[in-house]
Amino acid sequence: ARLDEVGGTAVSSRLLRPRDCSIRVGLHVRRGDACQRWAAPADGAVDPEGDCGTAVGRPCYATSHYLHAVRSLARAHRARSRSHAGGAASANGEGCVTTILLASDSPSVALELAAAVAASRDLRLLWVNIRRGADWGGTAELSNLGLGAAAAEANFIERRNSRGLLNRSAVLGAALADISLLATAHAFVGTAASWLSRLALLCVIGQSGSVPPFALVDRPMAELWHTTKGGALCPPHGAARARSGPRQ
C-alpha cells in the first residue's frame, strides 16, 4: 500500500510542538454496511436493536459532520498554540495547516473529503490507497440504507464473513495500514460505537503518552447503544449487548 495525498506532505512521526499551529487529525469514518439511516450528531437516537426502547437502525453521519469536528479541534489547537507563543502566532490561523489522516471502509468518503480539501487553503488529506469496503467482500456501500433489522443484518460484515464472502487478508491488511496511519495523529475524530475508532484512539495515546484531543460524533466514549444517555445499561437486554460491544 502507498500513501496518497491531496496537496499535502508525507506523514511525519515528529511530536507536536506547543508553538506549532499546524496539526494532524486522525479521522475514522465507518459507513459501508453499517448505515441503515442518516443521523445527526448527538441526536440520542442510536439504538439500532431496540435495547433501550424502539429500534431505530444503525446510524451513519454525513462527511460534513466529521469535517466540522475536525475543524473544531484544529481551531482549539490554534488557540492553544497562540497562547504558548505569547500571541505571536497568526490570530486568523494563516499558515496553519490541518492534515486529515483518513481511515474508512468507504471510498466515497475519501472523494468527498478531497473535494473539501481542494476548496480549502488550510486542509490537507492523507489516506492509504488500498482495497476497501465492497472490494474486500463487504456489501455495496449504503445498501442497508432504509432497511429493517432482519434485512440489513444479512449484509453485516459479520454475517458475510460467516458465509465465506470476505477476503479476510484484505480486511486485516486495510485495518493494520489504517491504524498505522491514524497512530501518528495529534488529535482524533471518530464514533464511540466503532471498535476501530476506539482502537485508533488507544494507539494515538500509546504513541504520544497522553490522551489527545478527540471528538466522537455519535455519543460520549462511555455511552454505547445498549446504555441510556447517562451510561446505565438498558434492561432487559443491556447485559448481553455489553458483552458484544461496539461494531467495527
Side-chain angles (χ1 to χ4, degrees), residues 34-57:
C35 300
Q36 289 175 258
R37 64 185 181 89
W38 291 110
D43 65 3
V46 291
D47 184 20
E49 281 86 30
D51 290 343
C52 297
T54 302
V56 294

Side-chain angles (χ1 to χ4, degrees), residues 155-238:
N155 288 328
F156 291 168
I157 192 169
E158 300 91 338
R159 300 295 178 264
R160 295 179 68 82
N161 180 48
S162 67
R163 301 199 301 272
L165 299 177
L166 289 187
N167 181 335
R168 299 181 186 181
S169 296
V171 175
L172 178 60
L176 293 176
D178 282 344
I179 287 294
S180 296
L181 177 67
L182 294 176
T184 67
H186 304 126
F188 180 74
V189 174
T191 49
S194 167
W195 278 122
L196 195 63
S197 282
R198 288 169 173 255
L199 176 59
L201 181 56
L202 287 174
C203 287
V204 176
I205 293 172
Q207 287 287 94
S208 64
S210 62
V211 178
F214 68 92
L216 303 171
V217 300
D218 52 353
R219 304 189 81 164
M221 180 67 79
E223 295 180 9
L224 300 176
W225 290 339
H226 51 258
T227 64
T228 66
K229 288 185 72 63
L233 290 177
C234 300
H237 305 300

Side-chain angles (χ1 to χ4, degrees), residues 56-81:
V56 294
R58 292 188 176 193
C60 278
Y61 303 88
T63 301
S64 59
H65 293 312
Y66 289 94
L67 189 56
H68 175 76
V70 168
R71 287 192 174 281
S72 295
L73 289 176
R75 283 195 300 271
H77 172 68
R78 286 199 296 269
R80 286 194 299 271
S81 68

Side-chain angles (χ1 to χ4, degrees), residues 2-5 8-15 23-26 99-102 124-128 177-186 207:
R2 74 177 190 274
L3 289 181
D4 276 354
E5 58 177 302
T9 56
V11 174
S12 166
S13 61
R14 67 177 175 80
L15 294 176
I23 188 173
R24 294 193 303 270
V25 181
T99 300
I100 301 171
L101 310 179
L102 173 65
R124 302 291 184 268
L125 177 62
L126 288 167
W127 75 95
V128 180
D178 282 344
I179 287 294
S180 296
L181 177 67
L182 294 176
T184 67
H186 304 126
Q207 287 287 94

Side-chain angles (χ1 to χ4, degrees), residues 235-247:
H237 305 300
R241 293 298 177 190
R243 289 193 294 271
S244 64
R247 55 189 165 144

